[in-house]
């Protein structure tokens, strides 16, 4: 079951009018396979999310103004803050997937030693890195509003949260 999480604007972090989509156990079936990171990268790529990487989440508030981002936890567990310094903190565990709309600030708060994720972006996008500079806030928010809805859901492909919750 997909959970929809609304994140409010929290200057200097614009966040989004689209909800964060949380897929508990969205990739749980891939965790028992050999080369799990490559399997998850391939799974996301089959669903239209490319430029994948393997690693962690930065320990400072950041967001991307030019693309959405999917994160799949392949091992361990963590606490992730969404929305900026006053944002809620959410558990993020092995098998879970987060789809972050462009503009949503995220930060790693704590993590187990074995915490590892796979990340990717829709439509062959390469992310910019934003850390909440008020000087270009208007420009950044305009860029976020121009990011189009992905063609596919990262977990459920044609159907799923993108179709159900991300209305343009």
């Amino acid at each position: 079951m997909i959970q929809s999480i609304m994140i409010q604007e929290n200057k200097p972090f614009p966040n989004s009018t689209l909800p964060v989509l949380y897929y508990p156990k969205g990739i749980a079936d891939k965790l028992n396979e050999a080369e799990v990171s490559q399997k998850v990268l391939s799974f996301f790529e089959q669903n239209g999310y490319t430029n994948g990487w393997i690693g962690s989440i930065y320990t400072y508030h950041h967001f991307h103004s030019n693309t959405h981002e999917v994160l799949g936890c392949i091992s361990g567990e963590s606490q992730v803050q969404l929305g900026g310094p006053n944002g809620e903190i959410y558990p993020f565990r092995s098998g879970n997937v987060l789809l972050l709309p462009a503009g949503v600030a995220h930060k790693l708060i704590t993590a187990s030693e074995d915490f590892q994720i796979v990340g990717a972006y829709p439509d062959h996008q390469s992310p910019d890195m934003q850390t909440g500079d008020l000087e270009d806030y208007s420009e950044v928010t305009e860029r976020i509003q121009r990011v189009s809805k992905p063609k596919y859901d990262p977990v459920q492909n044609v159907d799923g949260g993108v179709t159900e919750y991300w209305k343009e």
Side-chain angles (χ1 to χ4, degrees):
M1 172 160 197
I2 301 169
Q3 295 176 13
S4 167
I5 305 167
M6 287 305 301
I7 308 294
Q8 301 299 315
E9 181 179 17
N10 182 6
K11 281 187 180 178
F13 301 101
N15 293 311
S16 180
T17 57
L18 298 172
V20 170
L21 300 180
Y22 171 68
Y23 307 76
K25 301 181 182 180
I27 54 168
D29 62 332
K30 313 263 180 280
L31 299 180
N32 295 325
E33 299 181 24
E35 299 183 32
V36 65
S37 58
Q38 294 305 313
K39 296 287 184 185
V40 173
L41 281 169
S42 294
F43 174 68
F44 286 154
E45 192 166 315
Q46 290 167 7
N47 290 330
Y49 292 73
T50 57
N51 292 339
W53 49 271
I54 302 160
S56 188
I57 300 171
Y58 292 117
T59 57
Y60 54 88
H61 297 286
H62 67 284
F63 64 95
H64 312 293
S65 69
N66 66 334
T67 186
H68 310 297
E69 180 176 37
V70 64
L71 304 174
C73 184
I74 58 173
S75 66
E77 59 185 340
S78 69
Q79 299 286 312
V80 177
Q81 188 171 32
L82 300 177
N86 299 318
E88 294 283 327
I89 297 174
Y90 296 91
F92 190 41
R93 296 184 177 96
S94 183
N96 297 164
V97 174
L98 284 171
L99 179 57
L100 303 173
V104 171
H106 47 292
K107 172 185 175 179
L108 183 68
I109 301 297
T110 63
S112 61
E113 284 189 30
D114 61 340
F115 178 67
Q116 191 171 44
I117 64 171
V118 170
Y121 311 94
D123 306 320
H124 302 284
Q125 293 295 313
S126 294
D128 63 359
M129 179 63 74
Q130 302 290 328
T131 56
D133 185 355
L134 281 173
E135 287 180 22
D136 45 341
Y137 187 81
S138 294
E139 179 185 319
V140 167
T141 31
E142 287 175 21
R143 189 176 317 126
I144 291 165
Q145 292 169 359
R146 290 192 304 266
V147 175
S148 61
K149 176 180 144 183
K151 293 178 186 136
Y152 301 105
D153 186 88
V155 175
Q156 299 173 332
N157 197 285
V158 176
D159 296 316
V162 167
T163 304
E164 185 177 348
Y165 295 103
W166 285 15
K167 309 286 184 197
E168 287 190 302

